[in-house]
Amino acid sequence: MPGHQARQLVLNRLRTLREPAGALLSVVISVPRDPAALRELPARLDHLVTGAQPVRPGAAARRARRRAASHVAQAGKARARDWFGRTMALVATADGILEEVRLPCLVPDRATFGRRPYLRLVLRSFQQ
């Protein structure tokens, strides 16, 4: 059961992450199998993150959310070829990407801000 143990380690790491200001960004995105469609990944990430609802208002939290979104956008541009044909879960704060997890199956794309990572889709993918 090495796969099960690896999943538990990932879930345990994700469960410990906290960001009191509510600027922790969780993104789940399926990366296309078509090499030509990889060019669209940065725009899809931007669209997802733009639609994520903030937990806390305020200028400081807004700046932290923008920095977290910027880290996800940079990762998408730099790593799209590594993620080719996979579903990825990314967790970022204003300080950078905290976790990058390859999911075993397709789940709906989603981005959300919070104090803790959004794990519902990650858990669902591990159960399928």
Side-chain angles (χ1 to χ4, degrees):
M1 277 215 209
H4 177 71
Q5 291 173 342
R7 289 180 195 151
Q8 282 306 118
L9 287 172
V10 167
L11 289 172
N12 288 341
R13 278 195 320 262
L14 290 172
R15 286 182 180 124
T16 64
L17 298 177
R18 299 286 184 274
E19 211 301 314
L24 191 138
L25 175 60
S26 300
V27 177
V28 175
I29 190 160
S30 58
V31 181
R33 293 184 188 274
D34 177 10
L38 285 177
R39 287 177 288 189
E40 299 171 8
L41 186 64
R44 285 183 51 223
L45 275 169
D46 185 52
H47 178 73
L48 274 175
V49 171
T50 300
Q53 296 298 314
V55 173
R56 284 182 82 179
R62 191 169 38 254
R63 283 191 298 273
R65 288 191 301 270
R66 271 197 302 265
R67 286 194 308 271
S70 173
H71 290 301
V72 167
Q74 289 171 1
K77 288 176 187 172
R79 304 283 317 266
R81 293 210 181 277
D82 297 337
W83 302 339
F84 183 72
R86 299 200 162 106
T87 300
M88 298 299 299
L90 305 169
V91 178
T93 65
D95 296 330
I97 300 285
L98 300 177
E99 288 292 334
E100 182 180 303
V101 180
R102 188 180 111 199
L103 301 180
C105 65
L106 287 173
V107 291
D109 291 350
R110 171 113 188 215
T112 192
F113 285 102
R115 292 177 179 88
R116 299 182 328 209
Y118 181 78
L119 296 179
R120 190 168 291 158
L121 293 175
V122 174
L123 289 169
R124 182 173 15 163
S125 76
F126 285 154
Q127 292 172 350
Q128 292 183 0

